[in-house]
Amino acid sequence: MFQRLIRELRTMRRLMVWVAVLGGVTGGLIIAEASAIAHIVAGIYLGHWGYRTLIRGLGLLLLIVLARGLVAGFLETGSLNLSARIQSELRQRLLSRLFEAGPLAWNREHGGELVNTVITGIDNLETFLARYVPQIAITALVPLVIGIRVLLSDWISAAILLITVPLIPFFMALIGRRAQVETDKRWAHLGRLGAHFLDLVQGLETLKLFGQSRRQTDALSQSAEQFRKSTMASLRLAFMSGMVLELLASLSMAMIAVAVGIRLVGGHISFERAIFLLILIPDFYAPWRALGAKFHDGLNGLAAARSLYEWLDRPPLAQGVGTVKIGQGGPWPIQLQHVGFRYSDRSPLVLRDVTAMIEPGEALAVIGPSGSGKSTLLSLLLGFADPTEGEILVNRVPFRDLDRAWWRTQVAYINQSPYLFDGTIEDNLRLARPDADDRAVADAIRAAHLDEALARFPEGVLTKVGENGMRLSGGERQRVALARAFLQAKPFIVLDEPAAHLDARTEAVLTEAIHRLKTASTVILVTHRWKTLEAADRILLLIEGQVAEIGRPAALSHPFFRQAQRLAAQGEEAMVDALLG
């Protein structure tokens, strides 16, 4: 994973070059500092330096210490800046991939785990990139530079270093394998905890109504306890790795100190060289100790990178790389030829042999029981996935040849819970068409009967709607979405359960809006409300992913449709809603 980050990210390569250069400079300054201290100590005790000579020596030492501080500062600042760029690049790539994947891919994932990857996961990379990665480079360079200098000064001390150093990465690798397993478990527990918490927040009202809030709180506590245990297990291994490094480094330094001391007493090594070696050897092991202290950060960063690349490596459901843009203005005929779709090679077909023609300017309603593939069919028409079998033609152009970004500019989409951003009503309307003038906005408001709702707000279109339109009712939010569709004036209008949770008055407004929209656009409608079907010119009945029947409402004869029709005639609207899913 580390090699992949270096291979794929240009900024990552710049970070490694930056760290390598400053790491080499740091090694040279460490040697210079040790040499200066040894020279000063030897000059004081053996050379009987005078005051001026001592001041010059201390001045040189001070310059070296300041230089080390500056290099360390440059290394820290540069690493943080470059790591921030890498995080930004990865977050941008991930968000671009999520936008390309579309809701068909998002809806198959736990929202908490996805949020954990996008936010916490990429944030964890900061410590990994700004602390752990530079420390790896320093650990590779500084001991090498110091080892070469030790070899030139005393081959016996160099031999002890050569014998003991391989033990450090050996034990780190042994502990690291187990630590990696525990870190992966911790990351999985964190994802499940985030998903569980998000579910509780989103379903808080339902839990209170059913008196299950205490039970779910206990379940959340259990998830948090699992995360705590996995975190502590990971930390125990991290502390163990630090202890092993400290033990090996201390034993090695003790061996060198004994060897140097014996030879100093015997007169086989000079006093200044002995002091130089005793000062320099701890700096040889210091990078290894620092690496052990940052070992836990490194594992967290790698786990986050793996989770990130799991998303980036997923094959997109929509593979289309076409560039065709249909010249003449729409709407155009859409033909589905033996269309089939499955989410993966191992999953069953969700749609099978779907064949239909959608004529320009008609309102086609897609109905069927729950799980029959209605929303999946809409996702195919929106370009969020490619058919596994068959093909879709728009004005006789294969869908795979169309420019997907252009195609989505030809479609307006309204679902049962349109999202409104925290701003004014006008802000949310202009999302559909930022360059629209005030007259166009006013016309769209009237067409969607939104002016009736605005009458109760003193500030009119400048009313703040709050997060996800919390200050508006469900019917008012749906009217804002309809006004956006009128403002966009797209050739195709796709409505996914737009009448869900609406009162009779708002549903009547919706039905009228569909009649008005289809005068200039093709309307494709998924609904389980019988009243809304009155706006449809034709109905496509899906059962178990297959077209059971298609035609004008009066001509349909399938038993499923006839049953719904009888229930609607008897006023059993709730049973019709349940039947149509």
Side-chain angles (χ1 to χ4, degrees):
M1 185 55 63
F2 181 68
Q3 291 84 350
R4 182 172 179 179
L5 284 170
I6 295 176
R7 185 173 64 250
E8 294 187 3
L9 300 176
R10 182 181 301 174
T11 310
M12 186 72 177
R13 293 193 289 271
R14 290 177 57 192
L15 173 62
M16 295 306 298
V17 171
W18 174 261
V19 171
V21 171
L22 293 185
V25 173
T26 299
L29 290 173
I30 288 172
I31 294 172
E33 182 181 2
S35 178
I37 294 174
H39 188 60
I40 291 171
V41 172
I44 293 173
Y45 284 98
L46 300 180
H48 306 293
W49 280 4
Y51 178 75
R52 291 183 178 179
T53 307
L54 178 60
I55 291 298
R56 284 196 298 269
L58 291 175
L60 177 61
L61 177 60
L62 180 61
L63 289 176
I64 296 172
V65 171
L66 290 176
R68 279 193 66 180
L70 287 174
V71 170
F74 284 136
L75 181 61
E76 179 85 4
T77 304
S79 298
L80 285 171
N81 287 334
L82 291 174
S83 69
R85 292 185 188 178
I86 295 170
Q87 285 177 277
S88 177
E89 184 177 346
L90 286 173
R91 186 172 278 117
Q92 188 173 14
R93 286 178 59 182
L94 179 58
L95 290 176
S96 297
R97 188 55 181 272
L98 290 175
F99 287 136
E100 291 173 5
L104 203 62
W106 308 339
N107 294 339
R108 295 171 60 83
E109 299 294 328
H110 287 296
E113 293 184 6
L114 181 56
V115 171
N116 185 51
T117 299
V118 174
I119 299 177
T120 307
I122 295 181
D123 285 345
N124 279 348
L125 287 175
E126 179 180 1
T127 306
F128 172 72
L129 295 169
R131 303 279 193 274
Y132 187 69
V133 170
Q135 192 58 50
I136 290 177
I138 289 173
T139 304
L141 288 170
V142 172
L144 177 63
V145 173
I146 294 176
I148 293 172
R149 184 64 182 87
V150 170
L151 178 62
L152 295 175
S153 297
D154 180 35
W155 69 269
I156 295 177
S157 298
I160 295 174
L161 292 179
L162 188 61
I163 294 171
T164 57
V165 163
L167 296 175
I168 296 176
F170 173 74
F171 281 107
M172 284 188 70
L174 287 180
I175 298 173
R177 289 184 179 180
R178 180 60 185 169
Q180 188 63 66
V181 172
E182 293 296 335
T183 302
D184 289 341
K185 287 182 181 178
R186 174 183 174 275
W187 187 255
H189 284 145
L190 179 61
R192 287 195 290 270
L193 179 61
H196 193 175
F197 182 75
L198 184 61
D199 283 344
L200 290 184
V201 172
Q202 291 176 335
L204 193 58
E205 182 179 355
T206 303
L207 291 174
K208 295 296 289 184
L209 288 173
F210 286 97
Q212 295 295 315
S213 55
R214 174 61 61 184
R215 182 178 179 182
Q216 289 301 319
T217 301
D218 294 340
L220 183 64
S221 298
Q222 291 177 5
S223 297
E225 179 63 15
Q226 289 179 345
F227 175 64
R228 185 193 68 81
K229 289 180 178 179
S230 62
T231 300
M232 294 308 297
S234 179
L235 288 174
R236 277 195 298 271
L237 288 170
F239 293 150
M240 184 183 296
S241 67
M243 182 191 70
V244 170
L245 288 178
E246 288 290 341
L247 179 62
L248 290 173
S250 299
L251 290 175
S252 301
M253 287 188 292
M255 292 171 62
I256 292 174
V258 169
V260 169
I262 291 174
R263 284 180 294 147
L264 180 62
V265 172
H268 301 295
I269 189 173
S270 68
F271 177 78
E272 183 174 340
R273 183 178 297 180
I275 294 295
F276 171 70
L277 291 172
L278 293 177
I279 293 173
L280 189 59
I281 294 303
D283 282 318
F284 177 88
Y285 289 103
W288 292 101
R289 288 170 158 173
L291 184 64
K294 296 179 175 67
F295 187 60
H296 182 66
D297 295 332
L299 293 178
N300 280 338
L302 288 175
R306 272 195 297 274
S307 177
L308 179 70
Y309 274 108
E310 281 179 8
W311 260 100
L312 293 176
D313 290 341
R314 291 183 185 182
L317 294 174
Q319 301 281 355
V321 291
T323 58
V324 176
K325 301 176 182 179
I326 301 175
Q328 65 269 30
W332 309 279
I334 300 177
Q335 187 174 4
L336 291 84
Q337 296 182 339
H338 308 290
V339 170
F341 179 76
R342 55 163 52 95
Y343 286 97
S344 66
D345 294 337
R346 292 177 293 180
S347 64
L349 284 169
V350 180
L351 295 173
R352 288 186 298 241
D353 196 28
V354 175
T355 299
M357 172 67 80
I358 305 174
E359 299 293 345
E362 76 165 334
L364 176 69
V366 182
I367 66 171
S370 178
S372 58
K374 303 185 294 293
S375 294
T376 301
L377 179 59
L378 290 191
S379 294
L380 295 182
L381 293 173
L382 288 168
F384 291 128
D386 292 328
T388 309
E389 301 173 356
E391 66 177 347
I392 301 174
L393 303 174
V394 179
N395 201 31
R396 291 178 292 185
V397 178
F399 203 81
R400 62 179 176 275
D401 295 337
L402 290 178
D403 184 314
R404 296 299 171 90
W406 169 83
W407 170 250
R408 289 179 190 134
T409 65
Q410 306 301 305
V411 182
Y413 175 69
I414 302 175
N415 63 6
Q416 60 182 303
S417 302
Y419 192 89
L420 301 185
F421 291 90
D422 188 6
T424 66
I425 294 175
E426 183 179 11
D427 293 336
N428 280 277
L429 290 174
R430 290 188 181 277
L431 281 175
R433 189 173 144 202
D435 60 343
D437 56 31
D438 293 341
R439 181 175 179 179
V441 173
D443 290 342
I445 289 173
R446 283 192 297 272
H449 292 273
L450 181 58
D451 50 343
E452 300 174 8
L454 292 178
R456 75 181 184 91
F457 296 113
E459 296 177 342
V461 292
L462 299 180
T463 300
K464 294 279 188 179
V465 300
E467 184 179 356
N468 195 18
M470 61 185 300
R471 292 189 60 191
L472 305 181
S473 67
E476 289 167 343
R477 288 198 296 269
Q478 202 63 270
R479 293 190 192 195
V480 172
L482 282 172
R484 285 198 293 212
F486 280 111
L487 190 60
Q488 283 181 292
K490 300 296 185 182
F492 295 94
I493 312 293
V494 177
L495 307 173
D496 188 2
E497 299 288 2
H501 319 302
L502 296 185
D503 56 45
R505 169 60 182 152
T506 308
E507 188 175 4
V509 169
L510 174 64
T511 303
E512 180 190 343
I514 293 173
H515 282 296
R516 298 183 64 176
L517 286 169
K518 69 181 182 181
T519 59
S521 307
T522 298
V523 178
I524 303 170
L525 166 70
V526 168
T527 185
H528 65 272
R529 300 291 288 267
W530 193 261
K531 288 288 185 183
T532 310
L533 286 177
E534 294 175 0
D537 298 312
R538 291 193 302 151
I539 294 176
L540 187 154
L541 174 60
L542 277 178
I543 295 180
E544 294 183 354
Q546 293 180 296
V547 177
E549 195 172 20
I550 183 170
R552 295 193 174 276
L556 296 183
S557 59
H558 193 278
F560 180 89
F561 180 79
R562 289 302 183 191
Q563 181 184 3
Q565 195 174 43
R566 282 195 302 271
L567 291 171
Q570 296 168 7
E572 301 288 350
E573 294 184 5
M575 295 186 67
V576 175
D577 292 351
L579 184 65
L580 296 181

PDB file of all heavy atoms in Angstrom, residues 258-283:
ATOM      1  N   VAL A 258      30.996  -0.413  26.796  1.00  0.00           N
ATOM      2  CA  VAL A 258      31.964  -1.269  27.494  1.00  0.00           C
ATOM      3  C   VAL A 258      33.210  -1.457  26.638  1.00  0.00           C
ATOM      4  O   VAL A 258      34.361  -1.359  27.128  1.00  0.00           O
ATOM      5  CB  VAL A 258      31.318  -2.629  27.840  1.00  0.00           C
ATOM      6  CG1 VAL A 258      32.387  -3.613  28.325  1.00  0.00           C
ATOM      7  CG2 VAL A 258      30.242  -2.457  28.897  1.00  0.00           C
ATOM      8  N   ALA A 259      33.006  -1.735  25.340  1.00  0.00           N
ATOM      9  CA  ALA A 259      34.149  -1.950  24.448  1.00  0.00           C
ATOM     10  C   ALA A 259      35.023  -0.696  24.347  1.00  0.00           C
ATOM     11  O   ALA A 259      36.260  -0.765  24.395  1.00  0.00           O
ATOM     12  CB  ALA A 259      33.661  -2.369  23.070  1.00  0.00           C
ATOM     13  N   VAL A 260      34.351   0.458  24.227  1.00  0.00           N
ATOM     14  CA  VAL A 260      35.107   1.709  24.129  1.00  0.00           C
ATOM     15  C   VAL A 260      35.829   2.002  25.441  1.00  0.00           C
ATOM     16  O   VAL A 260      37.012   2.424  25.455  1.00  0.00           O
ATOM     17  CB  VAL A 260      34.154   2.869  23.757  1.00  0.00           C
ATOM     18  CG1 VAL A 260      34.865   4.219  23.913  1.00  0.00           C
ATOM     19  CG2 VAL A 260      33.665   2.720  22.328  1.00  0.00           C
ATOM     20  N   GLY A 261      35.160   1.764  26.581  1.00  0.00           N
ATOM     21  CA  GLY A 261      35.772   2.037  27.886  1.00  0.00           C
ATOM     22  C   GLY A 261      36.998   1.181  28.129  1.00  0.00           C
ATOM     23  O   GLY A 261      38.027   1.673  28.641  1.00  0.00           O
ATOM     24  N   ILE A 262      36.916  -0.099  27.811  1.00  0.00           N
ATOM     25  CA  ILE A 262      38.068  -1.002  28.028  1.00  0.00           C
ATOM     26  C   ILE A 262      39.253  -0.555  27.190  1.00  0.00           C
ATOM     27  O   ILE A 262      40.409  -0.504  27.674  1.00  0.00           O
ATOM     28  CB  ILE A 262      37.661  -2.452  27.689  1.00  0.00           C
ATOM     29  CG1 ILE A 262      36.655  -2.971  28.721  1.00  0.00           C
ATOM     30  CG2 ILE A 262      38.889  -3.357  27.637  1.00  0.00           C
ATOM     31  CD1 ILE A 262      36.078  -4.327  28.395  1.00  0.00           C
ATOM     32  N   ARG A 263      39.003  -0.214  25.936  1.00  0.00           N
ATOM     33  CA  ARG A 263      40.121   0.218  25.078  1.00  0.00           C
ATOM     34  C   ARG A 263      40.653   1.591  25.480  1.00  0.00           C
ATOM     35  O   ARG A 263      41.835   1.888  25.305  1.00  0.00           O
ATOM     36  CB  ARG A 263      39.651   0.232  23.616  1.00  0.00           C
ATOM     37  CG  ARG A 263      39.563  -1.189  23.040  1.00  0.00           C
ATOM     38  CD  ARG A 263      39.095  -1.205  21.598  1.00  0.00           C
ATOM     39  NE  ARG A 263      37.714  -0.740  21.490  1.00  0.00           N
ATOM     40  CZ  ARG A 263      37.242  -0.069  20.459  1.00  0.00           C
ATOM     41  NH1 ARG A 263      38.050   0.264  19.479  1.00  0.00           N
ATOM     42  NH2 ARG A 263      35.991   0.309  20.425  1.00  0.00           N
ATOM     43  N   LEU A 264      39.789   2.454  26.021  1.00  0.00           N
ATOM     44  CA  LEU A 264      40.261   3.753  26.490  1.00  0.00           C
ATOM     45  C   LEU A 264      41.202   3.589  27.679  1.00  0.00           C
ATOM     46  O   LEU A 264      42.261   4.249  27.758  1.00  0.00           O
ATOM     47  CB  LEU A 264      39.061   4.629  26.864  1.00  0.00           C
ATOM     48  CG  LEU A 264      39.384   6.042  27.386  1.00  0.00           C
ATOM     49  CD1 LEU A 264      40.111   6.847  26.322  1.00  0.00           C
ATOM     50  CD2 LEU A 264      38.112   6.763  27.826  1.00  0.00           C
ATOM     51  N   VAL A 265      40.821   2.716  28.601  1.00  0.00           N
ATOM     52  CA  VAL A 265      41.685   2.462  29.761  1.00  0.00           C
ATOM     53  C   VAL A 265      43.018   1.861  29.324  1.00  0.00           C
ATOM     54  O   VAL A 265      44.092   2.181  29.863  1.00  0.00           O
ATOM     55  CB  VAL A 265      40.968   1.541  30.771  1.00  0.00           C
ATOM     56  CG1 VAL A 265      41.927   1.109  31.877  1.00  0.00           C
ATOM     57  CG2 VAL A 265      39.756   2.249  31.361  1.00  0.00           C
ATOM     58  N   GLY A 266      42.959   0.976  28.314  1.00  0.00           N
ATOM     59  CA  GLY A 266      44.190   0.329  27.830  1.00  0.00           C
ATOM     60  C   GLY A 266      44.995   1.202  26.903  1.00  0.00           C
ATOM     61  O   GLY A 266      46.071   0.783  26.435  1.00  0.00           O
ATOM     62  N   GLY A 267      44.500   2.370  26.574  1.00  0.00           N
ATOM     63  CA  GLY A 267      45.238   3.283  25.717  1.00  0.00           C
ATOM     64  C   GLY A 267      45.171   2.943  24.247  1.00  0.00           C
ATOM     65  O   GLY A 267      46.012   3.411  23.471  1.00  0.00           O
ATOM     66  N   HIS A 268      44.157   2.154  23.835  1.00  0.00           N
ATOM     67  CA  HIS A 268      44.047   1.753  22.430  1.00  0.00           C
ATOM     68  C   HIS A 268      43.133   2.672  21.621  1.00  0.00           C
ATOM     69  O   HIS A 268      42.936   2.432  20.429  1.00  0.00           O
ATOM     70  CB  HIS A 268      43.528   0.312  22.337  1.00  0.00           C
ATOM     71  CG  HIS A 268      44.402  -0.674  23.043  1.00  0.00           C
ATOM     72  ND1 HIS A 268      45.696  -0.938  22.650  1.00  0.00           N
ATOM     73  CD2 HIS A 268      44.162  -1.448  24.148  1.00  0.00           C
ATOM     74  CE1 HIS A 268      46.225  -1.839  23.458  1.00  0.00           C
ATOM     75  NE2 HIS A 268      45.318  -2.172  24.379  1.00  0.00           N
ATOM     76  N   ILE A 269      42.539   3.669  22.261  1.00  0.00           N
ATOM     77  CA  ILE A 269      41.689   4.617  21.575  1.00  0.00           C
ATOM     78  C   ILE A 269      41.842   5.964  22.262  1.00  0.00           C
ATOM     79  O   ILE A 269      42.050   6.043  23.482  1.00  0.00           O
ATOM     80  CB  ILE A 269      40.209   4.148  21.601  1.00  0.00           C
ATOM     81  CG1 ILE A 269      39.358   5.034  20.685  1.00  0.00           C
ATOM     82  CG2 ILE A 269      39.656   4.139  23.001  1.00  0.00           C
ATOM     83  CD1 ILE A 269      37.930   4.521  20.529  1.00  0.00           C
ATOM     84  N   SER A 270      41.816   7.042  21.506  1.00  0.00           N
ATOM     85  CA  SER A 270      42.008   8.369  22.085  1.00  0.00           C
ATOM     86  C   SER A 270      40.775   8.804  22.865  1.00  0.00           C
ATOM     87  O   SER A 270      39.655   8.323  22.636  1.00  0.00           O
ATOM     88  CB  SER A 270      42.303   9.384  20.971  1.00  0.00           C
ATOM     89  OG  SER A 270      41.160   9.570  20.153  1.00  0.00           O
ATOM     90  N   PHE A 271      40.987   9.736  23.788  1.00  0.00           N
ATOM     91  CA  PHE A 271      39.882  10.240  24.614  1.00  0.00           C
ATOM     92  C   PHE A 271      38.826  10.943  23.752  1.00  0.00           C
ATOM     93  O   PHE A 271      37.620  10.712  23.912  1.00  0.00           O
ATOM     94  CB  PHE A 271      40.446  11.206  25.663  1.00  0.00           C
ATOM     95  CG  PHE A 271      39.390  11.835  26.524  1.00  0.00           C
ATOM     96  CD1 PHE A 271      38.818  11.127  27.576  1.00  0.00           C
ATOM     97  CD2 PHE A 271      38.950  13.135  26.276  1.00  0.00           C
ATOM     98  CE1 PHE A 271      37.832  11.715  28.360  1.00  0.00           C
ATOM     99  CE2 PHE A 271      37.971  13.724  27.053  1.00  0.00           C
ATOM    100  CZ  PHE A 271      37.408  13.008  28.113  1.00  0.00           C
ATOM    101  N   GLU A 272      39.271  11.776  22.807  1.00  0.00           N
ATOM    102  CA  GLU A 272      38.319  12.510  21.978  1.00  0.00           C
ATOM    103  C   GLU A 272      37.498  11.573  21.100  1.00  0.00           C
ATOM    104  O   GLU A 272      36.288  11.753  20.948  1.00  0.00           O
ATOM    105  CB  GLU A 272      39.068  13.521  21.101  1.00  0.00           C
ATOM    106  CG  GLU A 272      38.130  14.387  20.261  1.00  0.00           C
ATOM    107  CD  GLU A 272      38.864  15.484  19.499  1.00  0.00           C
ATOM    108  OE1 GLU A 272      40.003  15.836  19.889  1.00  0.00           O
ATOM    109  OE2 GLU A 272      38.300  15.997  18.510  1.00  0.00           O
ATOM    110  N   ARG A 273      38.149  10.536  20.541  1.00  0.00           N
ATOM    111  CA  ARG A 273      37.412   9.593  19.702  1.00  0.00           C
ATOM    112  C   ARG A 273      36.409   8.799  20.528  1.00  0.00           C
ATOM    113  O   ARG A 273      35.293   8.524  20.072  1.00  0.00           O
ATOM    114  CB  ARG A 273      38.383   8.646  19.001  1.00  0.00           C
ATOM    115  CG  ARG A 273      37.702   7.678  18.051  1.00  0.00           C
ATOM    116  CD  ARG A 273      38.687   6.785  17.343  1.00  0.00           C
ATOM    117  NE  ARG A 273      39.590   7.567  16.504  1.00  0.00           N
ATOM    118  CZ  ARG A 273      40.572   7.022  15.763  1.00  0.00           C
ATOM    119  NH1 ARG A 273      40.766   5.720  15.802  1.00  0.00           N
ATOM    120  NH2 ARG A 273      41.344   7.783  15.028  1.00  0.00           N
ATOM    121  N   ALA A 274      36.820   8.449  21.752  1.00  0.00           N
ATOM    122  CA  ALA A 274      35.896   7.700  22.624  1.00  0.00           C
ATOM    123  C   ALA A 274      34.662   8.529  22.960  1.00  0.00           C
ATOM    124  O   ALA A 274      33.517   8.041  22.910  1.00  0.00           O
ATOM    125  CB  ALA A 274      36.624   7.274  23.899  1.00  0.00           C
ATOM    126  N   ILE A 275      34.875   9.820  23.305  1.00  0.00           N
ATOM    127  CA  ILE A 275      33.748  10.695  23.600  1.00  0.00           C
ATOM    128  C   ILE A 275      32.863  10.854  22.364  1.00  0.00           C
ATOM    129  O   ILE A 275      31.629  10.826  22.442  1.00  0.00           O
ATOM    130  CB  ILE A 275      34.252  12.071  24.084  1.00  0.00           C
ATOM    131  CG1 ILE A 275      34.975  11.935  25.428  1.00  0.00           C
ATOM    132  CG2 ILE A 275      33.092  13.054  24.195  1.00  0.00           C
ATOM    133  CD1 ILE A 275      34.080  11.494  26.557  1.00  0.00           C
ATOM    134  N   PHE A 276      33.528  11.001  21.215  1.00  0.00           N
ATOM    135  CA  PHE A 276      32.793  11.153  19.957  1.00  0.00           C
ATOM    136  C   PHE A 276      31.870   9.952  19.709  1.00  0.00           C
ATOM    137  O   PHE A 276      30.699  10.113  19.372  1.00  0.00           O
ATOM    138  CB  PHE A 276      33.793  11.314  18.813  1.00  0.00           C
ATOM    139  CG  PHE A 276      33.180  11.275  17.444  1.00  0.00           C
ATOM    140  CD1 PHE A 276      32.380  12.314  16.987  1.00  0.00           C
ATOM    141  CD2 PHE A 276      33.388  10.179  16.608  1.00  0.00           C
ATOM    142  CE1 PHE A 276      31.816  12.262  15.717  1.00  0.00           C
ATOM    143  CE2 PHE A 276      32.825  10.126  15.354  1.00  0.00           C
ATOM    144  CZ  PHE A 276      32.037  11.176  14.894  1.00  0.00           C
ATOM    145  N   LEU A 277      32.406   8.744  19.903  1.00  0.00           N
ATOM    146  CA  LEU A 277      31.596   7.540  19.672  1.00  0.00           C
ATOM    147  C   LEU A 277      30.462   7.425  20.677  1.00  0.00           C
ATOM    148  O   LEU A 277      29.332   7.073  20.322  1.00  0.00           O
ATOM    149  CB  LEU A 277      32.482   6.298  19.739  1.00  0.00           C
ATOM    150  CG  LEU A 277      33.491   6.119  18.600  1.00  0.00           C
ATOM    151  CD1 LEU A 277      34.432   4.955  18.887  1.00  0.00           C
ATOM    152  CD2 LEU A 277      32.758   5.883  17.273  1.00  0.00           C
ATOM    153  N   LEU A 278      30.738   7.711  21.948  1.00  0.00           N
ATOM    154  CA  LEU A 278      29.697   7.597  22.977  1.00  0.00           C
ATOM    155  C   LEU A 278      28.570   8.612  22.777  1.00  0.00           C
ATOM    156  O   LEU A 278      27.423   8.356  23.146  1.00  0.00           O
ATOM    157  CB  LEU A 278      30.328   7.773  24.363  1.00  0.00           C
ATOM    158  CG  LEU A 278      31.289   6.645  24.805  1.00  0.00           C
ATOM    159  CD1 LEU A 278      31.901   6.965  26.150  1.00  0.00           C
ATOM    160  CD2 LEU A 278      30.555   5.308  24.863  1.00  0.00           C
ATOM    161  N   ILE A 279      28.920   9.784  22.211  1.00  0.00           N
ATOM    162  CA  ILE A 279      27.881  10.781  21.923  1.00  0.00           C
ATOM    163  C   ILE A 279      27.109  10.405  20.661  1.00  0.00           C
ATOM    164  O   ILE A 279      25.884  10.587  20.570  1.00  0.00           O
ATOM    165  CB  ILE A 279      28.519  12.173  21.769  1.00  0.00           C
ATOM    166  CG1 ILE A 279      29.093  12.639  23.111  1.00  0.00           C
ATOM    167  CG2 ILE A 279      27.494  13.191  21.252  1.00  0.00           C
ATOM    168  CD1 ILE A 279      29.890  13.919  23.007  1.00  0.00           C
ATOM    169  N   LEU A 280      27.810   9.836  19.675  1.00  0.00           N
ATOM    170  CA  LEU A 280      27.195   9.577  18.367  1.00  0.00           C
ATOM    171  C   LEU A 280      26.306   8.332  18.363  1.00  0.00           C
ATOM    172  O   LEU A 280      25.261   8.320  17.687  1.00  0.00           O
ATOM    173  CB  LEU A 280      28.300   9.434  17.320  1.00  0.00           C
ATOM    174  CG  LEU A 280      27.864   9.382  15.849  1.00  0.00           C
ATOM    175  CD1 LEU A 280      27.111  10.653  15.479  1.00  0.00           C
ATOM    176  CD2 LEU A 280      29.076   9.187  14.942  1.00  0.00           C
ATOM    177  N   ILE A 281      26.710   7.295  19.105  1.00  0.00           N
ATOM    178  CA  ILE A 281      25.976   6.021  19.046  1.00  0.00           C
ATOM    179  C   ILE A 281      24.502   6.161  19.437  1.00  0.00           C
ATOM    180  O   ILE A 281      23.627   5.605  18.777  1.00  0.00           O
ATOM    181  CB  ILE A 281      26.676   4.962  19.922  1.00  0.00           C
ATOM    182  CG1 ILE A 281      28.042   4.612  19.335  1.00  0.00           C
ATOM    183  CG2 ILE A 281      25.818   3.703  20.033  1.00  0.00           C
ATOM    184  CD1 ILE A 281      27.991   4.105  17.903  1.00  0.00           C
ATOM    185  N   PRO A 282      24.125   6.908  20.507  1.00  0.00           N
ATOM    186  CA  PRO A 282      22.689   7.062  20.803  1.00  0.00           C
ATOM    187  C   PRO A 282      21.891   7.660  19.652  1.00  0.00           C
ATOM    188  O   PRO A 282      20.725   7.301  19.443  1.00  0.00           O
ATOM    189  CB  PRO A 282      22.683   7.988  22.031  1.00  0.00           C
ATOM    190  CG  PRO A 282      24.004   7.738  22.692  1.00  0.00           C
ATOM    191  CD  PRO A 282      24.968   7.515  21.566  1.00  0.00           C
ATOM    192  N   ASP A 283      22.531   8.579  18.886  1.00  0.00           N
ATOM    193  CA  ASP A 283      21.829   9.154  17.736  1.00  0.00           C
ATOM    194  C   ASP A 283      21.669   8.135  16.614  1.00  0.00           C
ATOM    195  O   ASP A 283      20.800   8.298  15.744  1.00  0.00           O
ATOM    196  CB  ASP A 283      22.596  10.375  17.210  1.00  0.00           C
ATOM    197  CG  ASP A 283      22.365  11.605  18.058  1.00  0.00           C
ATOM    198  OD1 ASP A 283      21.207  11.829  18.445  1.00  0.00           O
ATOM    199  OD2 ASP A 283      23.331  12.325  18.346  1.00  0.00           O
TER     200      ASP A 283
END
